[in-house]
Amino acid sequence: MKKKAFSGVQPTGLLHIGNYLGAIRNWVGLLNRYECIFCIVDYHAITVPYDPLSMQEKILQTAIAYIACGINPDKCTIFVQSHVPEHTELTWILNTIAPVGRLQRMTQYKEKITKAAPLPFSLPQEDEKAAKMGLLDYPVLQAADILLYKAEVVPVGEDQVQHLELAQDLARRFNNEFGPLFPEPRTLLGSAPKILGLDGKKKMSKSMNNYISLMDSPDTIRKKIRKAVTDPIPLFSKGVVFSEQQLAVTNLLTIYLCFTGKNKEEVEEHFQGKGYRELKDELAEVIIEKLKPIQEKWRSLESQPDDIWEVLKKGAEKCRKIAGETMKEVKDRMGLLR
Ligand code: TYM
């Protein structure tokens, strides 16, 4: 029996190259070695304000993105989190062993509450703006996603490491209290676990508007890359090289490296004697070329939405079986079954 790998992406709209290089690209490499389950985590996406009218479209787009990026649905299971009720059921159970203080200290939670609640949210009249329970509980739901399938590896980007440490901790706590049931899931980081945005400062993300979408047109990609922030050339600069002192340029080189498959030395040699202008021009063309097959596949999939919904339906049926079995074991251990 193959070991299980599990991962997921929030349906927040078109995915960006950070999602692709940091996570999805690595999933493709696992398809033959693991029993892979890839989820579209809509319950996570509703922990911040969102538009219900576009949710179904975004779920569909995320499924299309998975398949267009090479996640062959014949070789794995793709499904929508809310189609498998056991995710919230296990979340409740894990809530009973999850330390609140640990959740309050989560980096992503702290970042999100500063956005959600700019005013002191102890004031009762500010309830509407205050952080909601779902946001605090977000990492417990993520742990439930993984443990429900007894996944052993979880391929993600660096920003998920802290959440996965909690999942490991909850597996351990459950096993200690109720007897061994869950494997401790291992975090699998790829070669580019943190792609910065084109501002060269923060991680590439939808909310920072510093991203290249997988569906950006060639012209948009050229424009965005041309405007990408570069570092001032340091004194005694060795030119366009990977360097701790030049994070923005290093990030552009990393994207170039990922898309060309070259190693660091080859990339530096390639840009020896060249300037930022050449780096940007070449990088834009490489991204355009590498996204082309993904975009073509995307367009053909987009014209058959019923086929995609069918993949998701089959995926949910399969997952409900596995999840149901795990919940029986969980409840049995906890004295909740007769
Ligand atoms: P999400 O939707 O924010 O991101 C999806 C995946 O993309 C990775 N990623 C990046 N990697 C490198 N550089 C970047 N700039 C970048 N931006 C995003 C993320 O690390 C992630 O792997 N909480 C998760 C979703 C989730 C999940 C799970 C993941 C829910 N349940 C269970 C694994 C297992 C999230 O919000 O990912």
Side-chain angles (χ1 to χ4, degrees):
M1 265 241 299
K2 284 183 187 167
K3 289 184 178 173
K4 289 208 186 78
F6 184 99
S7 200
V9 171
Q10 296 189 61
T12 47
L14 292 172
L15 302 190
H16 52 71
I17 60 170
N19 298 126
Y20 177 64
L21 299 176
I24 300 177
R25 195 177 65 135
N26 304 322
W27 301 359
V28 181
L30 303 178
L31 288 176
N32 291 327
R33 288 185 289 134
Y34 288 88
E35 185 185 334
C36 293
I37 304 179
F38 298 122
C39 186
I40 296 164
V41 292
D42 52 350
Y43 276 156
H44 280 107
I46 63 171
T47 56
V48 289
Y50 74 101
D51 172 20
L53 293 178
S54 62
M55 189 48 128
Q56 290 305 302
E57 185 57 31
K58 286 178 175 169
I59 289 173
L60 185 69
Q61 274 180 356
T62 308
I64 290 175
Y66 283 8
I67 303 171
C69 289
I71 307 297
N72 180 348
D74 295 333
K75 290 191 169 181
C76 66
T77 307
I78 304 176
F79 77 108
V80 181
Q81 189 183 35
S82 68
H83 295 180
V84 180
E86 285 81 0
H87 285 253
T88 42
E89 199 179 6
L90 183 57
T91 301
W92 182 256
I93 302 267
L94 296 178
N95 274 339
T96 64
I97 56 168
V100 176
R102 179 104 187 246
L103 296 175
Q104 285 168 328
R105 288 193 298 276
M106 289 280 169
T107 312
Q108 286 205 351
Y109 171 71
K110 288 198 283 190
E111 277 170 13
K112 285 183 182 168
I113 53 166
T114 40
K115 277 185 210 154
L119 295 165
F121 56 92
S122 52
L123 299 171
Q125 69 268 34
E126 291 305 330
D127 265 5
E128 282 316 304
K129 284 190 180 140
K132 306 297 189 289
M133 196 61 207
L135 199 57
L136 181 65
D137 210 25
Y138 179 115
V140 181
L141 175 61
Q142 181 159 349
D145 295 341
I146 299 162
L147 301 186
L148 206 43
Y149 303 96
K150 299 185 183 167
E152 293 189 54
V153 296
V154 185
V156 284
E158 192 181 272
D159 59 347
Q160 299 303 313
V161 168
Q162 200 183 30
H163 290 166
L164 292 190
E165 282 166 1
L166 180 84
Q168 289 153 356
D169 184 47
L170 292 180
R172 231 174 289 134
R173 280 171 193 259
F174 185 95
N175 292 345
N176 284 342
E177 273 190 50
F178 303 107
L181 181 63
F182 297 120
E184 272 179 43
R186 189 158 59 85
T187 307
L188 215 63
L189 293 180
S191 54
K194 184 175 180 183
I195 298 291
L196 296 183
L198 299 175
D199 51 10
K201 290 191 196 91
K202 297 254 161 63
K203 117 184 144 160
M204 183 175 284
S205 86
K206 205 71 202 300
S207 59
M208 296 302 298
N209 203 13
N210 61 2
Y211 64 94
I212 292 182
S213 145
L214 291 180
M215 287 307 281
D216 275 346
S217 70
D219 267 353
T220 306
I221 295 173
R222 285 188 194 105
K223 270 190 209 130
K224 285 185 179 176
I225 293 285
R226 218 169 289 147
K227 281 201 207 137
V229 172
T230 44
D231 318 271
I233 300 181
L235 220 53
F236 311 117
S237 162
K238 293 202 206 104
V240 181
V241 290
F242 291 88
S243 148
E244 295 274 321
Q245 278 80 49
Q246 301 182 75
L247 286 184
V249 166
T250 295
N251 186 52
L252 298 181
L253 287 170
T254 303
I255 298 173
Y256 182 89
L257 175 149
C258 289
F259 276 121
T260 56
K262 290 187 169 140
N263 63 32
K264 276 190 181 178
E265 291 72 35
E266 288 167 336
V267 171
E268 286 184 345
E269 198 179 322
H270 180 81
F271 286 108
Q272 208 175 17
K274 296 182 185 169
Y276 291 166
R277 181 66 203 248
E278 282 105 326
L279 166 64
K280 286 185 168 184
D281 286 350
E282 285 198 40
L283 176 61
E285 295 315 310
V286 164
I287 299 175
I288 290 166
E289 185 199 314
K290 295 294 174 179
L291 291 188
K292 199 171 162 211
I294 295 177
Q295 297 186 346
E296 280 168 3
K297 182 101 195 269
W298 189 303
R299 284 192 197 97
S300 83
L301 291 166
E302 212 174 23
S303 63
Q304 305 145 7
D306 291 347
D307 292 355
I308 307 288
W309 287 116
E310 194 52 33
V311 166
L312 296 175
K313 189 170 157 230
K314 282 210 187 101
E317 279 163 12
K318 201 168 156 197
C319 286
R320 241 177 270 144
K321 275 202 196 109
I322 308 174
E325 289 299 314
T326 306
M327 282 317 295
K328 257 193 222 147
E329 291 178 294
V330 168
K331 287 181 177 171
D332 189 34
R333 295 288 165 90
M334 297 185 73
L336 302 171
L337 278 191
R338 248 192 90 195

